[in-house]
Amino acid sequence: MLKHVDQLRQPLPDLTARFNIKRGLFRKESVEAALFDLDEHGCVLKTDKIFNPGDTLLLDLIMRMPFDNITAANLGGLVTERRKHCSNFFYSVDFIGSDSRPRPSDSDKLERIRDVLTKKQSLRSRRSPGFSQTA
């Protein structure tokens, strides 16, 4: 799933992943990471935190909206690939559940997030100045 780093230049608009990392016996650190790719099977995120392939994460995907954010909460994720880019890492994360698929309610929220994301990307591409037709 992890594309070449040069293809992952822009984070997905208004979409972040939030997860907790244990820091000692009684401390947890909350981390927000930008997402660079998303499909029904997994995502690609970028962070300066270090994970290894085989590590698992409990993710919340949050799509920022004007009135009410869309949140797919408590998604299990398996880190399948890691690529270093400057001082950060790109991680390919596959969604996992009890049967290696997200629960139906999570799937509905993921589908809603993907639909909104597609619409936002479509609007951005129409507004981009690179496609002006001048003779």
Side-chain angles (χ1 to χ4, degrees):
M1 174 178 200
L2 195 55
K3 300 175 183 175
H4 191 272
V5 171
D6 293 336
Q7 294 175 336
L8 301 170
R9 291 180 189 217
Q10 294 292 328
L12 298 175
D14 303 320
L15 184 61
T16 57
R18 185 180 304 145
F19 52 93
N20 291 318
I21 300 174
K22 284 189 175 185
R23 295 286 180 211
L25 189 57
F26 299 108
R27 285 188 33 198
K28 288 184 182 178
E29 177 184 357
S30 182
V31 177
E32 285 201 14
L35 267 78
F36 284 76
D37 196 13
L38 175 69
D39 63 22
E40 64 274 4
H41 304 291
C43 62
V44 174
L45 57 91
K46 181 180 180 183
T47 182
D48 61 349
K49 306 303 177 195
I50 298 176
F51 301 106
N52 295 309
D55 289 350
T56 58
L57 303 171
L58 192 58
L59 303 167
D60 293 342
L61 298 184
I62 302 142
M63 170 67 74
R64 288 183 305 282
M65 301 293 287
F67 297 108
D68 194 20
N69 294 339
I70 304 169
T71 303
N74 298 321
L75 298 171
L78 175 68
V79 176
T80 57
E81 191 174 348
R82 173 180 71 187
R83 291 215 182 135
K84 186 170 173 75
H85 183 258
C86 298
S87 63
N88 291 302
F89 294 92
F90 283 100
Y91 293 101
S92 179
V93 178
D94 289 348
F95 297 133
I96 56 174
S98 59
D99 60 345
S100 75
R101 278 179 265 128
R103 295 181 302 274
S105 63
D106 295 332
S107 293
D108 293 343
K109 289 187 179 183
L110 275 173
E111 186 175 334
R112 174 77 176 127
I113 287 173
R114 283 195 319 271
D115 289 344
V116 170
L117 182 64
T118 302
K119 290 175 185 174
K120 285 185 176 197
Q121 288 174 319
S122 175
L123 287 171
R124 275 195 177 173
S125 69
R126 283 191 245 157
R127 286 187 279 174
S128 70
F131 292 108
S132 63
Q133 303 254 343
T134 56

